[in-house]
Structure formats: C-alpha cells, structure tokens
Amino acid sequence: DVIYHVYSFGKNNIGNGKKINLEFVSANPTGPLTLGNGRSAAYGDALAKILDFSGFKVTKEYFINDIGNQVELLGESVAKRFLQLYEQKIDFPEELYQGKYIIDIAKKIKKERIYHGPLDNFESIKEICKKYALDFLTTQIKEALLKFGLHFDVWFSENNLLKEIDLMLEELKQTDLLYEKDGALWFKATQFGLEKDAVLRKSIGDKATTYLASDLAYAKNKLQRGFDSSIYILGADHHGDAQRIKAGIGALGLDENKFKFLLYQLVTLKKAGKVVKMSKRKGDFVTLEYLTKEVPTDVIKLFFLMKSLDNHIEFDLNLAKEESNKNPVYYIQYAHARVKS
C-alpha cells in the first residue's frame, strides 16, 4: 500500500479524458536515429507519461516522411552505391547521402538479389532501392526506439495524405489564398503574419508538394480523428516550419489553440573531453542505438531531461558512464531508493 501511494502521489484528472495527439521524433527515414532524435524521444515519452498521469488520453505518434525530395535522394544514393558494387563508373555528388549505412543497404540488396533487371535501367533500380531502403531504415528506427524503451501508438505514413493534400489545396484555392509564380504554387502566408509567402508545390505541372503542404493536410487529419489538441516536438531548426504551419492552420480556419509546438535545442556529444563533429548528410553522426549500447537508457534519459528544451545539451559520454558521485544519475537513483523505503 505504501508503494502504491508513493507512485500515485500527485495523480490528478486535469485532463478529464481529453484526447491529445503527441507527435515527436518523426525523423526522416533516410538514416538511423541520431543523438538529437534521442532528446526528442526522451522528452516526448516523459511528457506522455505526465499527461497520462493527469487524466489525458495520449496517443504517441510518429510521422513517417516517406515521400518527397529527401526520399528520392535516398533512393538515388543507394542505387548509385548498388551500381558501384558491380564496378560501374558512377558519379556520387555531395548532395547525396554519404554514410557507410548507404553502402551496407546496397550490399544487402545485391546479396538478397532484390533487383533482377538490367544495370542500365537506373530509374527502375532507383525505385527498388528506394522502397527497400525505406522499409529497412524504418524497421531500424522502430527497433532503436524499442531498445530505448519507447513504444509509439501510431506510425503515420505521409503517403496516406496524398488525397487529403489535394483537398487541402483546393480549399485554399477556393478562398483565394493560392497563386502561381515562377512556375510554382504559392500560399499567401503574408496575410497571416509571415514575412514571406510559402511554396506548396515547386512545379505546377508536378504532383509533388513541399513539406508544408503535407503538414497542413496532416493538421486537418488530426482534428478529423477527434483529437482535442495536438502537440508537436520539433528541433530548433524547424522554427520556421512551425510558423508556416501556424499560418496555414489559420488560413484553413482551424482552431489554432488546439496546436502547440515545442522546440528543442541541439545536442552535441563530448567524448574524452572533446566535442564530436556530426553531419547526417556526410554520414558523420552518433546513432541513438550506439548510445544505448554504451550507456543504460535511464542514464541517457536523465541527461536529456536535466535541461529545459530551450538549452543546448553537451552530452558527456565519459561522465554518463562514470560510476562515481560525479555522475548525477546516482543522486536520482538514491532518492528513488529512499522514497521506496
């Protein structure tokens, strides 16, 4: 009974059963999860527990960006590495994904004989490589999060929004909030407080749309699914995206009070007293999976949660692994042990 009261202390019903969609991590499936994604994962999971503890019905959701330019670059990157395995002379521009994991995926495709056609049909090779890489990397992401102790209730594919994007664009067109310029389709974001209008389709003759178009259709989708409010946890580099989404929400006549955006600052890794340089495009980064192999997940989460989202974090790997009172995790564990007793 004592243990029960300890763990129920502070439990309340502020939420009164209101449904909250909590979307976080949502990293592009173009590579493994990184250190920064771990911060989002730790914060989102903790917030979900607090909201649940306070009587809200929380749905933890991961948005999979499985269409668009970055996915096309992924397919092209793997396809070119695949052809290089057959000693084809292939250029590999800097804008493609440079990481070793791209080569590893290409090797898997070759070993498993996923592609059976001629080597001169690049578009066919690219499509097969793109699909295989997306499935492989999404599975890797799910496994890494499970190892981190995080389970998502919904994995939402951007590909499922294609019809809703068209409907959303038609709605904005009917209210005279779209126009064509320089061969692109623009949203009159300046009418809703932004300094510049925003592109929703880069080419009029192309069905491909920008991230913003998907984000606006996704926001409508969340309300259609009956959520009372939606919380987004995004990296600080998405500040502009958050502002554009807010403008679009207003343009669509949605209740802006039902959408909240939380931005977290970057994470750097300190190892043996030195900061490790990282670049996802170049393939120089520390994965969340690597971190969970080096440090227990409860320690990682504490290090991520010790500072507010507004502060930059320098994750000291040596300190996190140190078994002494210099490591702050021992104070938390000691406090927990005393409470239980």
Side-chain angles (χ1 to χ4, degrees):
D1 286 347
V2 172
I3 296 299
Y4 171 78
H5 289 302
V6 165
Y7 286 110
S8 63
F9 179 77
K11 195 174 180 67
N12 61 85
N13 194 34
I14 292 173
N16 195 28
K18 288 182 179 178
K19 294 173 66 179
I20 290 184
N21 180 287
L22 180 58
E23 185 214 329
F24 57 109
V25 184
S26 295
N28 285 354
T30 53
L33 292 180
T34 65
L35 199 65
N37 300 140
R39 183 176 195 181
S40 177
Y43 189 92
D45 197 32
L47 180 57
K49 290 172 182 174
I50 292 168
L51 290 169
D52 179 70
F53 198 67
S54 298
F56 292 93
K57 290 184 177 178
V58 184
T59 296
K60 292 179 287 186
E61 186 154 313
Y62 191 114
F63 184 64
I64 308 171
N65 296 107
D66 50 8
I67 59 174
N69 185 55
Q70 296 305 314
V71 172
E72 295 303 316
L73 286 177
L74 172 67
E76 186 177 344
S77 302
V78 176
K80 290 196 170 187
R81 292 303 191 198
F82 174 77
L83 288 171
Q84 286 176 348
L85 295 175
Y86 287 94
E87 299 183 357
Q88 300 275 318
K89 291 184 178 181
I90 302 292
D91 291 332
F92 204 86
E94 285 188 7
E95 65 266 20
L96 298 182
Y97 290 97
Q98 305 289 327
K100 181 180 176 295
Y101 70 94
I102 296 293
I103 299 173
D104 293 337
I105 294 172
K107 286 179 178 178
K108 283 180 175 292
I109 292 171
K110 182 182 179 183
K111 183 179 179 181
E112 296 173 21
R113 298 181 180 179
I114 304 298
Y115 179 74
H116 306 284
L119 295 179
D120 60 352
N121 190 344
F122 184 76
E123 284 304 313
S124 180
I125 294 171
K126 176 187 166 183
E127 283 304 306
I128 287 173
C129 287
K130 180 177 73 174
K131 185 181 185 308
Y132 184 93
L134 274 175
D135 291 343
F136 178 81
L137 289 168
T138 301
T139 299
Q140 264 202 338
I141 287 170
K142 290 180 179 181
E143 289 175 352
L145 290 170
L146 285 174
K147 288 176 183 176
F148 196 61
L150 174 55
H151 168 78
F152 277 93
D153 303 302
V154 175
W155 292 81
F156 193 101
S157 167
E158 184 178 5
N159 196 52
N160 292 334
L161 285 174
L162 294 178
K163 289 183 179 179
E164 293 180 61
I165 290 172
D166 289 339
L167 291 172
M168 180 275 300
L169 291 175
E170 184 60 30
E171 186 175 340
L172 290 177
K173 183 180 179 181
Q174 292 299 324
T175 52
D176 195 31
L177 290 172
L178 297 183
Y179 66 92
E180 296 180 12
K181 178 185 175 184
D182 300 329
L185 185 65
W186 294 73
F187 160 53
K188 297 178 181 178
T190 49
Q191 291 190 15
F192 299 88
L194 268 64
E195 292 183 3
K196 297 179 180 179
D197 289 340
V199 176
L200 293 181
R201 180 168 278 149
K202 293 180 181 179
S203 176
I204 300 298
D206 190 354
K207 289 291 289 181
T209 51
T210 62
Y211 281 134
L212 179 59
S214 294
D215 287 333
L216 297 185
Y218 187 38
K220 287 199 70 176
N221 177 277
K222 289 180 178 181
L223 290 183
Q224 288 165 357
R225 282 188 278 154
F227 289 106
D228 296 293
S229 63
S230 297
I231 301 173
Y232 299 72
I233 302 176
L234 306 170
D237 55 330
H238 288 280
H239 173 75
D241 296 323
Q243 295 301 316
R244 285 186 284 272
I245 295 170
K246 287 179 184 178
I249 287 170
L252 291 167
L254 307 179
D255 187 347
E256 297 177 45
N257 295 320
K258 290 189 173 185
F259 298 88
K260 185 172 182 62
F261 297 84
L262 305 176
L263 302 176
Y264 63 90
Q265 293 298 322
L266 298 177
V267 181
T268 55
L269 182 72
K270 188 177 180 181
K271 190 175 181 181
K274 295 182 179 179
V275 174
V276 179
K277 291 184 178 180
M278 291 185 274
S279 168
K280 189 168 184 179
R281 178 59 59 81
K282 292 180 180 179
D284 299 324
F285 55 84
V286 176
T287 66
L288 180 61
E289 187 177 18
Y290 164 79
L291 199 61
T292 55
K293 288 178 180 177
E294 293 288 311
V295 185
T297 55
D298 59 339
V299 181
I300 298 170
K301 290 175 182 177
L302 175 65
F303 273 58
F304 280 143
L305 294 169
M306 281 195 302
K307 289 188 176 181
S308 78
L309 293 185
D310 297 328
N311 293 323
H312 168 263
I313 288 180
E314 188 176 80
F315 193 103
D316 191 329
L317 186 61
N318 291 79
L319 178 60
K321 295 169 73 172
E322 186 166 329
E323 296 182 6
S324 76
N325 59 7
K326 291 181 181 179
N327 189 339
V329 74
Y330 289 105
Y331 291 95
I332 305 299
Q333 290 174 340
Y334 181 54
H336 181 259
R338 289 196 65 178
V339 166
K340 285 188 71 173
S341 67

PDB file of all heavy atoms in Angstrom, residues 281-295:
ATOM      1  N   ARG A 281      24.132  14.187 -43.334  1.00  0.00           N
ATOM      2  CA  ARG A 281      24.267  14.025 -44.778  1.00  0.00           C
ATOM      3  C   ARG A 281      25.611  13.376 -45.121  1.00  0.00           C
ATOM      4  O   ARG A 281      25.713  12.531 -45.999  1.00  0.00           O
ATOM      5  CB  ARG A 281      24.138  15.386 -45.466  1.00  0.00           C
ATOM      6  CG  ARG A 281      24.301  15.346 -46.990  1.00  0.00           C
ATOM      7  CD  ARG A 281      23.280  14.451 -47.672  1.00  0.00           C
ATOM      8  NE  ARG A 281      21.926  14.853 -47.423  1.00  0.00           N
ATOM      9  CZ  ARG A 281      21.294  15.826 -48.071  1.00  0.00           C
ATOM     10  NH1 ARG A 281      21.886  16.501 -49.003  1.00  0.00           N
ATOM     11  NH2 ARG A 281      20.040  16.104 -47.789  1.00  0.00           N
ATOM     12  N   LYS A 282      26.682  13.795 -44.413  1.00  0.00           N
ATOM     13  CA  LYS A 282      28.007  13.236 -44.678  1.00  0.00           C
ATOM     14  C   LYS A 282      28.189  11.850 -44.048  1.00  0.00           C
ATOM     15  O   LYS A 282      29.167  11.169 -44.330  1.00  0.00           O
ATOM     16  CB  LYS A 282      29.082  14.185 -44.164  1.00  0.00           C
ATOM     17  CG  LYS A 282      29.170  15.498 -44.939  1.00  0.00           C
ATOM     18  CD  LYS A 282      30.260  16.384 -44.385  1.00  0.00           C
ATOM     19  CE  LYS A 282      30.346  17.696 -45.163  1.00  0.00           C
ATOM     20  NZ  LYS A 282      31.395  18.593 -44.614  1.00  0.00           N
ATOM     21  N   GLY A 283      27.248  11.471 -43.176  1.00  0.00           N
ATOM     22  CA  GLY A 283      27.360  10.162 -42.541  1.00  0.00           C
ATOM     23  C   GLY A 283      28.196  10.184 -41.275  1.00  0.00           C
ATOM     24  O   GLY A 283      28.526   9.137 -40.718  1.00  0.00           O
ATOM     25  N   ASP A 284      28.558  11.402 -40.821  1.00  0.00           N
ATOM     26  CA  ASP A 284      29.333  11.527 -39.582  1.00  0.00           C
ATOM     27  C   ASP A 284      28.385  11.880 -38.433  1.00  0.00           C
ATOM     28  O   ASP A 284      28.100  13.052 -38.187  1.00  0.00           O
ATOM     29  CB  ASP A 284      30.401  12.634 -39.724  1.00  0.00           C
ATOM     30  CG  ASP A 284      31.382  12.332 -40.837  1.00  0.00           C
ATOM     31  OD1 ASP A 284      31.701  11.147 -41.025  1.00  0.00           O
ATOM     32  OD2 ASP A 284      31.831  13.285 -41.508  1.00  0.00           O
ATOM     33  N   PHE A 285      27.881  10.876 -37.755  1.00  0.00           N
ATOM     34  CA  PHE A 285      26.981  11.134 -36.637  1.00  0.00           C
ATOM     35  C   PHE A 285      26.990   9.961 -35.670  1.00  0.00           C
ATOM     36  O   PHE A 285      27.397   8.851 -36.011  1.00  0.00           O
ATOM     37  CB  PHE A 285      25.547  11.403 -37.115  1.00  0.00           C
ATOM     38  CG  PHE A 285      24.985  10.306 -37.993  1.00  0.00           C
ATOM     39  CD1 PHE A 285      24.401   9.183 -37.431  1.00  0.00           C
ATOM     40  CD2 PHE A 285      25.039  10.404 -39.377  1.00  0.00           C
ATOM     41  CE1 PHE A 285      23.879   8.175 -38.227  1.00  0.00           C
ATOM     42  CE2 PHE A 285      24.526   9.398 -40.182  1.00  0.00           C
ATOM     43  CZ  PHE A 285      23.942   8.284 -39.600  1.00  0.00           C
ATOM     44  N   VAL A 286      26.546  10.242 -34.455  1.00  0.00           N
ATOM     45  CA  VAL A 286      26.436   9.202 -33.429  1.00  0.00           C
ATOM     46  C   VAL A 286      24.988   8.750 -33.382  1.00  0.00           C
ATOM     47  O   VAL A 286      24.084   9.575 -33.233  1.00  0.00           O
ATOM     48  CB  VAL A 286      26.874   9.741 -32.052  1.00  0.00           C
ATOM     49  CG1 VAL A 286      26.665   8.683 -30.973  1.00  0.00           C
ATOM     50  CG2 VAL A 286      28.336  10.174 -32.094  1.00  0.00           C
ATOM     51  N   THR A 287      24.755   7.471 -33.522  1.00  0.00           N
ATOM     52  CA  THR A 287      23.383   6.964 -33.533  1.00  0.00           C
ATOM     53  C   THR A 287      22.859   6.750 -32.119  1.00  0.00           C
ATOM     54  O   THR A 287      23.637   6.532 -31.175  1.00  0.00           O
ATOM     55  CB  THR A 287      23.288   5.635 -34.305  1.00  0.00           C
ATOM     56  OG1 THR A 287      24.026   4.627 -33.592  1.00  0.00           O
ATOM     57  CG2 THR A 287      23.820   5.771 -35.718  1.00  0.00           C
ATOM     58  N   LEU A 288      21.542   6.793 -31.990  1.00  0.00           N
ATOM     59  CA  LEU A 288      20.901   6.511 -30.707  1.00  0.00           C
ATOM     60  C   LEU A 288      21.189   5.068 -30.292  1.00  0.00           C
ATOM     61  O   LEU A 288      21.394   4.778 -29.114  1.00  0.00           O
ATOM     62  CB  LEU A 288      19.394   6.750 -30.816  1.00  0.00           C
ATOM     63  CG  LEU A 288      18.582   6.488 -29.555  1.00  0.00           C
ATOM     64  CD1 LEU A 288      19.026   7.392 -28.416  1.00  0.00           C
ATOM     65  CD2 LEU A 288      17.086   6.672 -29.834  1.00  0.00           C
ATOM     66  N   GLU A 289      21.219   4.169 -31.277  1.00  0.00           N
ATOM     67  CA  GLU A 289      21.494   2.767 -30.982  1.00  0.00           C
ATOM     68  C   GLU A 289      22.884   2.584 -30.370  1.00  0.00           C
ATOM     69  O   GLU A 289      23.075   1.835 -29.424  1.00  0.00           O
ATOM     70  CB  GLU A 289      21.366   1.925 -32.251  1.00  0.00           C
ATOM     71  CG  GLU A 289      21.479   0.423 -31.993  1.00  0.00           C
ATOM     72  CD  GLU A 289      21.268  -0.398 -33.252  1.00  0.00           C
ATOM     73  OE1 GLU A 289      21.373   0.166 -34.356  1.00  0.00           O
ATOM     74  OE2 GLU A 289      21.005  -1.594 -33.121  1.00  0.00           O
ATOM     75  N   TYR A 290      23.868   3.312 -30.911  1.00  0.00           N
ATOM     76  CA  TYR A 290      25.229   3.253 -30.353  1.00  0.00           C
ATOM     77  C   TYR A 290      25.219   3.722 -28.905  1.00  0.00           C
ATOM     78  O   TYR A 290      25.850   3.117 -28.027  1.00  0.00           O
ATOM     79  CB  TYR A 290      26.176   4.128 -31.177  1.00  0.00           C
ATOM     80  CG  TYR A 290      27.485   4.440 -30.486  1.00  0.00           C
ATOM     81  CD1 TYR A 290      28.519   3.502 -30.454  1.00  0.00           C
ATOM     82  CD2 TYR A 290      27.678   5.665 -29.834  1.00  0.00           C
ATOM     83  CE1 TYR A 290      29.717   3.779 -29.806  1.00  0.00           C
ATOM     84  CE2 TYR A 290      28.867   5.945 -29.185  1.00  0.00           C
ATOM     85  CZ  TYR A 290      29.885   5.001 -29.171  1.00  0.00           C
ATOM     86  OH  TYR A 290      31.060   5.279 -28.516  1.00  0.00           O
ATOM     87  N   LEU A 291      24.504   4.821 -28.655  1.00  0.00           N
ATOM     88  CA  LEU A 291      24.461   5.388 -27.311  1.00  0.00           C
ATOM     89  C   LEU A 291      23.859   4.402 -26.304  1.00  0.00           C
ATOM     90  O   LEU A 291      24.353   4.268 -25.179  1.00  0.00           O
ATOM     91  CB  LEU A 291      23.650   6.687 -27.332  1.00  0.00           C
ATOM     92  CG  LEU A 291      23.867   7.642 -26.148  1.00  0.00           C
ATOM     93  CD1 LEU A 291      25.313   8.097 -26.083  1.00  0.00           C
ATOM     94  CD2 LEU A 291      22.929   8.834 -26.264  1.00  0.00           C
ATOM     95  N   THR A 292      22.789   3.697 -26.717  1.00  0.00           N
ATOM     96  CA  THR A 292      22.143   2.745 -25.800  1.00  0.00           C
ATOM     97  C   THR A 292      23.022   1.525 -25.537  1.00  0.00           C
ATOM     98  O   THR A 292      22.822   0.825 -24.544  1.00  0.00           O
ATOM     99  CB  THR A 292      20.778   2.285 -26.357  1.00  0.00           C
ATOM    100  OG1 THR A 292      20.949   1.752 -27.675  1.00  0.00           O
ATOM    101  CG2 THR A 292      19.787   3.433 -26.400  1.00  0.00           C
ATOM    102  N   LYS A 293      23.980   1.259 -26.428  1.00  0.00           N
ATOM    103  CA  LYS A 293      24.925   0.173 -26.177  1.00  0.00           C
ATOM    104  C   LYS A 293      26.004   0.598 -25.181  1.00  0.00           C
ATOM    105  O   LYS A 293      26.552  -0.221 -24.451  1.00  0.00           O
ATOM    106  CB  LYS A 293      25.582  -0.270 -27.492  1.00  0.00           C
ATOM    107  CG  LYS A 293      24.658  -1.028 -28.428  1.00  0.00           C
ATOM    108  CD  LYS A 293      25.366  -1.389 -29.734  1.00  0.00           C
ATOM    109  CE  LYS A 293      24.435  -2.152 -30.669  1.00  0.00           C
ATOM    110  NZ  LYS A 293      25.088  -2.445 -31.975  1.00  0.00           N
ATOM    111  N   GLU A 294      26.297   1.911 -25.168  1.00  0.00           N
ATOM    112  CA  GLU A 294      27.352   2.434 -24.309  1.00  0.00           C
ATOM    113  C   GLU A 294      26.864   2.796 -22.914  1.00  0.00           C
ATOM    114  O   GLU A 294      27.595   2.655 -21.935  1.00  0.00           O
ATOM    115  CB  GLU A 294      27.971   3.685 -24.963  1.00  0.00           C
ATOM    116  CG  GLU A 294      28.743   3.418 -26.242  1.00  0.00           C
ATOM    117  CD  GLU A 294      30.064   2.721 -25.974  1.00  0.00           C
ATOM    118  OE1 GLU A 294      30.806   3.186 -25.100  1.00  0.00           O
ATOM    119  OE2 GLU A 294      30.348   1.703 -26.646  1.00  0.00           O
ATOM    120  N   VAL A 295      25.604   3.275 -22.845  1.00  0.00           N
ATOM    121  CA  VAL A 295      25.077   3.822 -21.590  1.00  0.00           C
ATOM    122  C   VAL A 295      23.662   3.284 -21.355  1.00  0.00           C
ATOM    123  O   VAL A 295      22.880   3.186 -22.303  1.00  0.00           O
ATOM    124  CB  VAL A 295      25.013   5.373 -21.662  1.00  0.00           C
ATOM    125  CG1 VAL A 295      24.587   5.951 -20.326  1.00  0.00           C
ATOM    126  CG2 VAL A 295      26.356   5.946 -22.091  1.00  0.00           C
TER     127      VAL A 295
END
